[in-house]
Amino acid sequence: MYTHEKKVLTQGKPLEQSGKAIILIHGRGATAASILPLAHELGADDFTLYAPQATNNTWYPYSFMVPVAQNQPALDSALALIDETVKSIEAQGIASKDIYLLGFSQGACLTAEYATRNARRYGGLLILTGGLIGQQLDTGHYSGDFEGTPVLITTGDPDPHVPVSRVDETVQQMEGRGATVTRQVYPGRPHTILEEELALARKVLTS
């Protein structure tokens, strides 16, 4: 088991010029560098980009559907790295309503978990094939109010890693904390990101 080194790639305009940031969280086996180009596909050229890097390219060792304890201490360390990244942006004078989080697959699960444990008004949350973490959801971990934060959450049906049932549980928890959620399930879609998902994500970034 491991903890994550603090390694965050940045790209795009300086924060004092852009006034808004997007944190891109890569999937299992991928890299921060590999997810950064997604921002260009989303038309996020006016944003300052942050991409944390998982140690060993994996945020936590097992499926997000196993008991949380099995993914520790890596999971807590990953959540702490996201929190440090958010706080470093806020320390430069950017409010949470101008901070967006995007994750794919394992990174999407981490995005959902971090945001729901720290619910408030974010610019938007893009949870591309993911959901809240744990064999059963421990609602005692969740706190705050999303105050209408727009959320896009997607998966395939079936998806090899992210069941529709967990997406639905995640929607319920996030809506219960005041998020405005768009849920999209794509029959027969492989474990990837479709152009249609990118189009929906662009709407969140420009709303």
Side-chain angles (χ1 to χ4, degrees):
M1 293 298 212
Y2 49 83
T3 55
H4 296 282
E5 299 172 40
K6 187 174 182 181
K7 184 177 177 184
V8 182
L9 300 185
T10 59
Q11 223 174 69
K13 294 182 177 180
L15 202 51
E16 62 268 20
Q17 289 181 25
S18 69
K20 53 190 178 179
I22 181 165
I23 302 170
L24 300 109
I25 305 173
H26 68 77
R28 186 189 298 273
T31 63
S34 72
I35 199 168
L36 278 169
L38 190 60
H40 180 68
E41 294 184 58
L42 291 170
D45 298 327
D46 289 338
F47 287 72
T48 306
L49 314 179
Y50 293 80
Q53 173 63 52
T55 298
N56 302 328
N57 299 342
T58 299
W59 292 111
Y60 44 85
Y62 302 111
S63 163
F64 83 116
M65 298 288 290
V66 304
V68 165
Q70 291 184 28
N71 277 316
Q72 297 295 17
L75 174 59
D76 278 351
S77 176
L79 291 166
L81 179 55
I82 305 309
D83 192 50
E84 284 180 44
T85 305
V86 169
K87 285 179 175 166
S88 73
I89 295 166
E90 290 181 309
Q92 296 176 73
I94 304 301
S96 65
K97 69 178 179 59
D98 294 313
I99 300 174
Y100 296 72
L101 288 93
L102 176 152
F104 171 64
S105 191
Q106 193 184 52
C109 298
L110 198 59
T111 299
E113 188 72 19
Y114 173 76
T116 310
R117 291 186 182 208
N118 301 276
R120 50 192 171 146
R121 184 57 163 92
Y122 296 97
L125 305 173
L126 304 170
I127 301 166
L128 304 177
T129 309
L132 289 164
I133 295 172
Q135 186 174 37
Q136 280 89 37
L137 298 186
D138 182 353
T139 57
H141 284 145
Y142 312 144
S143 65
D145 186 335
F146 282 115
E147 300 175 31
T149 295
V151 177
L152 171 64
I153 183 167
T154 66
T155 195
D157 183 18
D159 182 88
H161 306 292
V162 182
V164 174
S165 59
R166 179 49 57 91
V167 168
D168 290 341
E169 288 180 281
T170 303
V171 170
Q172 183 181 14
Q173 291 297 325
M174 297 184 94
E175 287 183 339
R177 294 196 169 276
T180 302
V181 182
T182 299
R183 167 196 177 276
Q184 288 291 329
V185 175
Y186 299 96
R189 187 211 66 182
H191 193 71
T192 187
I193 301 172
L194 299 177
E195 174 56 39
E196 185 180 337
E197 289 171 86
L198 294 177
L200 290 169
R202 287 183 203 108
K203 289 183 181 178
V204 174
L205 293 179
T206 56
S207 62

